[in-house]
Amino acid sequence: MRVLVTGAAGMLGHDMVAHLEGRHEVTAVDMDVDVTDLAAVRACVDDTRPEAVFHLAAWTDVDGAEDHEQQAAAVNATGAFNVAAAAATVGAAVVLPSTDYVFDGRKGSAYVEDDATGPLGAYGRTKLEGELRARAAHPAGVRIARTAWLYGASGRNFVDTMRGLASDRDEVTVVADQEGCPTWTCDLAPALEALLDLPAGIYHTAGGGSATWAEFAGAVFEESGLNCRMVPITTAEFGRPAPRPAFSPLAVTKAGAPRLRHWREALRDYLAAVDGA
């Protein structure tokens, strides 16, 4: 199968390309194709004639989006529309990762695919707009893959940050009043590919189970054998510019949808992989 991957140099893109190569004819693009430029996207699609597109290029700076929402929207919303519209012209399926930040975190239980959205900040708004615009451009071809709390070996991530801090300090403060689904990009990549066998629509593709950031950090310390005290704090005490959903685990309810393994098992394998590299 001919496959196009945008955002291929990113953390998820790196693992997605590695997962696909050897089994498919993969074209990997990153900054060489400006997804905010419809003509550039169409030219790329016309040249490669993909049967499937994994659109992974995204603005992921949650706090930066608060001050630069227009720029974030250009990538997350306009870019998603451009890729979906171009893919529609050649009949290619599209898989578009989205985020738990499209929800406000006030439901009190895990979110299912059809729950009402209500993003709290600019990042979530731009990702939700991208969902809507992509599906409007290619209704029969777009699969939205909402995920959360990504970490992987090819980019800055929470796991590596916590390990670095714990190596230099006796204690680390971590937010304890936000809960979500930690997701390893190596687990996410095959789940995204699996969506190609399912109808267009919205899917939840995040690590199994859920944890607070503090619980996640504690697991990182324990699995790494690091003697560091985790000090829980509130989101307000941490003081980041962008609001975040307090409780946004993602539940999988659609028949046939891929289900990722529990986040703790994935974390253990991630740590073994990076320490053995």
Side-chain angles (χ1 to χ4, degrees):
M1 182 169 59
R2 294 184 305 278
V3 177
L4 174 64
V5 180
T6 70
M11 185 170 63
L12 176 57
H14 182 274
D15 286 340
M16 193 77 229
V17 170
H19 171 70
L20 295 170
E21 282 186 331
R23 297 181 300 108
H24 300 291
E25 181 183 332
V26 180
T27 300
V29 299
D30 199 80
M31 299 298 289
D32 46 327
V33 176
D34 180 1
V35 298
T36 70
D37 182 340
L38 180 57
V41 174
R42 282 181 170 163
C44 177
V45 168
D46 287 345
D47 287 345
T48 57
R49 309 295 293 184
E51 297 164 83
V53 180
F54 294 92
H55 179 42
L56 312 184
W59 177 294
T60 58
D61 180 357
V62 174
D63 290 319
E66 290 299 304
D67 290 328
H68 304 285
E69 186 166 357
Q70 184 174 354
Q71 294 94 317
V75 179
N76 291 344
T78 303
F81 169 83
N82 291 345
V83 169
T89 66
V90 296
V94 177
V95 177
L96 171 65
S98 189
T99 174
D100 58 327
Y101 280 41
V102 300
F103 298 114
D104 63 16
R106 296 168 182 153
K107 179 185 174 184
S109 60
Y111 285 94
V112 300
E113 298 86 351
D114 296 329
D115 275 333
T117 54
L120 298 176
Y123 170 70
R125 287 192 294 270
T126 64
K127 291 296 288 184
L128 179 58
E129 185 181 353
E131 289 187 14
L132 297 172
R133 295 191 66 187
R135 296 183 74 194
H138 192 7
V142 172
R143 293 135 180 91
I144 303 298
R146 292 180 183 146
T147 190
W149 297 23
L150 297 188
Y151 64 93
S154 300
R156 294 179 56 190
N157 66 77
F158 180 82
V159 176
D160 293 350
T161 297
M162 289 298 104
R163 285 185 8 130
L165 292 175
S167 297
D168 297 331
R169 305 179 186 181
D170 295 327
E171 64 178 36
V172 176
T173 57
V174 187
V175 169
D177 59 355
Q178 294 174 33
E179 185 165 339
C181 301
T183 307
W184 184 20
T185 50
C186 274
D187 280 358
L188 180 58
L192 297 183
E193 184 185 14
L195 293 182
L196 295 176
D197 295 326
L198 298 175
I202 296 174
Y203 297 90
H204 285 176
T205 52
S210 65
T212 65
W213 287 113
E215 290 168 340
F216 191 18
V220 171
F221 298 158
E222 182 178 336
E223 296 289 349
S224 301
L226 293 167
N227 185 22
C228 181
R229 188 167 72 95
M230 192 278 300
V231 180
I233 61 171
T234 66
T235 299
E237 289 174 310
F238 195 50
R240 299 300 289 269
R244 283 141 164 96
F247 189 85
S248 57
L250 300 174
V252 179
T253 66
K254 290 194 173 180
R259 295 175 183 269
L260 278 64
R261 59 182 167 161
H262 194 274
W263 67 267
R264 183 79 183 238
E265 181 183 348
L267 171 64
R268 192 174 298 124
D269 283 355
Y270 169 74
L271 294 173
V274 296
D275 287 342

